């Protein structure tokens, strides 16, 4: 079942960009993907430095493991 939404032009554009991002698989070797994880970390844990991208503290944010890249599983970046 589909829901019809009355979106503004700006909302339509943002939704389109989100759909495009769903087609991009996460790649931990890409610097922009790594940087996005670092920004997410900084937003969640501003007083806790991240050393590398693997940490048990990711679980505190809701990730299944200590390496968030393993949780994407084709859901898109």
């Amino acid at each position: 079942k589909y829901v019809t939404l009355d979106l503004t032009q700006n909302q339509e554009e943002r939704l389109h960009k989100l759909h495009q991002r769903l087609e991009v698989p996460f790649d931990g070797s890409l610097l922009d993907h790594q940087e996005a994880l670092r920004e997410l970390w900084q937003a969640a844990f501003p007083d806790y430095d991240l050393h590398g991208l693997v940490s048990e503290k990711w679980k505190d944010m809701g990730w299944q493991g200590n390496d968030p890249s393993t949780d994407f599983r084709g859901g898109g970046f």
Side-chain angles (χ1 to χ4, degrees), residues 22-40:
L22 288 173
E23 300 297 321
V24 177
F26 179 81
D27 183 342
S29 69
L30 295 177
L31 294 179
D32 60 328
H33 290 199
Q34 293 173 23
E35 184 58 29
L37 286 177
R38 285 187 183 90
E39 288 176 15
L40 178 61

Side-chain angles (χ1 to χ4, degrees), residues 4-62:
T4 303
L5 301 174
D6 186 24
L7 302 175
T8 66
Q9 177 71 25
N10 191 30
Q11 291 169 325
E12 288 277 353
E13 290 170 6
R14 289 181 179 185
L15 183 59
H16 179 71
K17 287 180 182 180
L18 179 59
H19 282 184
Q20 288 178 321
R21 286 193 66 167
L22 288 173
E23 300 297 321
V24 177
F26 179 81
D27 183 342
S29 69
L30 295 177
L31 294 179
D32 60 328
H33 290 199
Q34 293 173 23
E35 184 58 29
L37 286 177
R38 285 187 183 90
E39 288 176 15
L40 178 61
W41 178 277
Q42 186 62 34
F45 306 113
D47 299 323
Y48 194 89
D49 289 336
L50 177 64
H51 303 284
L53 290 177
V54 177
S55 171
E56 285 291 318
K57 201 140 175 69
W58 284 110
K59 293 179 186 179
D60 293 346
M61 196 188 300

